């Protein structure tokens, strides 16, 4: 070796290399109804017995973030006014830097649901949340055109979605676009009640949310298996069973002004760490 050669620089020890965080959020609060509570995605290891897209998102956000905390204030059956009246102040008190709020779906599917009035109330809530400096994620509703019963309110849902986009633009919020998530048209994305998402649906939505937030994650796209063709009589029989077990009780609750969330409390009312036995990363089961 020439005496004029300079020695090569030694590689930096791994211990001295500082890895930047995957994201900058440390306190995540989820607000909403049954969708955010995780109904349709049962899991006995999750608080309240349901996992859902929000828990899946929190699991990924917590990865490698030792000080990360998560609260889920959502309760099934809640209307938009109830969500804002019951969950907004507790959410603000938790001092989150990231809030997701999905509300109005239960209002839109009811007769007389006014997408313009709903958006006005949502606008004021988002203004409060954004005024704290927290990032806010709003959800458009899924395209209901191919779903039984709910397809009849597709027009109102589309108007409400456009109003939500306006709200997001006014306040610098982020839109998680379920309307554009064409995978949700697959029947296997829906739970047996045809009103909530299945574990596969929640998994797919969680991945979309993380992609929207531009957060690297381990949730891989999962392809559904082709469903066997059904005979007319089989499909008709299944529809009758569904109507008896799910649709009729839902209608009765509406008539009686009852809610599936009566007597139910938020499953994670305090912001705490994600701990305990986790589901395998990327699992939709």
């Amino acid at each position: 070796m020439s005496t004029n050669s300079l020695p090569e620089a030694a590689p930096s020890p791994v211990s001295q290399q500082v890895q930047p965080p995957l994201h900058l959020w440390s306190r995540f609060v989820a607000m909403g109804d049954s969708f955010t509570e995780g109904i349709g995605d049962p899991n006995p290891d999750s608080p309240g017995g349901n996992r859902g897209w929000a828990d899946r998102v929190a699991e990924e956000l917590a990865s490698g973030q030792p000080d990360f905390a998560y609260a889920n204030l959502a309760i099934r059956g809640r209307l938009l006014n109830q969500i804002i009246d019951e969950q907004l102040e507790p959410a603000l008190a938790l001092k989150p830097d990231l809030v997701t709020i999905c509300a109005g779906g239960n209002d839109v599917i009811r007769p007389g649901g006014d997408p313009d009035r709903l958006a006005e109330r949502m606008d004021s809530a988002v203004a409060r949340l954004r005024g704290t400096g927290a990032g806010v994620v709003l959800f458009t509703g899924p395209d209901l055109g191919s779903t039984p019963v709910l397809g009849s309110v597709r027009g109102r849902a589309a108007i409400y979605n456009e109003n939500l986009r306006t709200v997001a633009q006014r306040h610098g919020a982020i839109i998680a676009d379920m309307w554009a998530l064409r995978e949700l048209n697959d029947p296997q994305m829906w739970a047996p009640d045809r009103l909530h998402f299945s574990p596969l649906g929640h998994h797919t939505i969680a991945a979309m949310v993380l992609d929207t937030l531009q957060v690297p994650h381990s949730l891989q796209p999962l392809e559904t298996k082709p469903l066997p063709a059904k005979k007319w009589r089989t499909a008709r029989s299944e529809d009758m069973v569904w109507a008896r077990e799910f649709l009729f009780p839902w209608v009765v609750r509406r008539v009686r002004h009852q809610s599936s969330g009566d007597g139910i409390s938020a499953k994670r009312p305090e912001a705490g760490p994600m701990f305990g036995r986790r589901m395998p990363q990327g699992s939709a089961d």
Side-chain angles (χ1 to χ4, degrees):
M1 182 177 69
S2 170
T3 55
N4 294 326
S5 299
L6 295 176
E8 294 183 1
S12 301
V14 174
S15 60
Q16 295 180 6
Q17 296 178 359
V18 178
Q19 297 295 326
L22 297 179
H23 60 84
L24 300 178
W25 296 295
S26 60
R27 292 179 73 81
F28 167 35
V29 174
M31 301 170 55
D33 52 28
S34 59
F35 167 63
T36 301
E37 187 185 344
I39 302 302
D41 187 12
N43 183 268
D45 295 325
S46 297
N50 297 284
R51 190 180 180 201
W53 69 266
D55 285 13
R56 294 166 184 266
V57 167
E59 290 165 8
E60 296 293 324
L61 293 178
S63 180
Q65 304 276 102
D67 297 326
F68 182 82
Y70 163 56
N72 189 318
L73 308 180
I75 297 177
R76 68 197 75 173
R78 291 299 193 257
L79 301 174
L80 183 142
N81 282 334
Q82 292 174 312
I83 290 170
I84 294 174
D85 292 343
E86 299 172 7
Q87 300 176 24
L88 180 58
E89 293 303 330
L92 292 169
L94 293 172
K95 301 186 183 305
D97 50 22
L98 177 65
V99 180
T100 59
I101 176 169
C102 185
N106 289 328
D107 301 79
V108 168
I109 65 177
R110 293 189 174 204
D114 187 332
D116 295 326
R117 289 187 178 181
L118 294 172
E120 289 175 2
R121 188 75 202 275
M122 180 68 86
D123 185 88
S124 62
V126 173
R128 289 280 310 280
L129 292 166
R130 288 290 293 139
T132 69
V136 175
V137 179
L138 298 176
F139 286 77
T140 61
D143 188 349
L144 305 171
S146 61
T147 57
V149 181
L150 300 184
S152 62
V153 299
R154 188 184 189 216
R156 283 207 303 270
I159 293 172
Y160 185 51
N161 284 347
E162 288 307 304
N163 287 342
L164 289 177
R165 296 181 197 279
T166 300
V167 171
Q169 186 174 20
R170 276 169 46 82
H171 299 291
I174 298 168
I175 285 288
D177 198 352
M178 288 201 293
W179 186 276
L181 198 58
R182 297 290 96 182
E183 293 92 331
L184 298 182
N185 291 334
D186 192 308
Q188 295 174 81
M189 294 286 176
W190 295 81
D193 65 6
R194 306 182 188 179
L195 298 170
H196 299 98
F197 291 104
S198 66
L200 179 60
H202 280 281
H203 171 97
T204 302
I205 292 166
M208 179 273 289
V209 173
L210 291 162
D211 289 340
T212 299
L213 294 173
Q214 300 182 7
V215 174
H217 60 86
S218 66
L219 303 184
Q220 299 300 316
L222 299 178
E223 295 184 3
T224 57
K225 298 178 181 179
L227 293 174
K230 295 180 181 178
K231 296 181 179 180
W232 180 87
R233 290 184 181 277
T234 300
R236 179 68 172 174
S237 176
E238 291 179 352
D239 287 343
M240 293 178 65
V241 171
W242 167 76
R244 182 178 67 250
E245 294 186 359
F246 300 109
L247 178 60
F248 181 70
W250 182 83
V251 172
V252 169
R253 288 198 300 272
R254 301 288 80 75
V255 172
R256 295 178 177 175
H257 301 287
Q258 296 175 333
S259 169
S260 58
D262 290 346
I264 302 294
S265 302
K267 66 179 186 179
R268 293 182 66 100
E270 302 295 334
M274 297 297 292
F275 60 89
R277 189 167 71 87
R278 283 185 51 181
M279 296 292 290
Q281 289 189 339
S283 171
D285 299 326

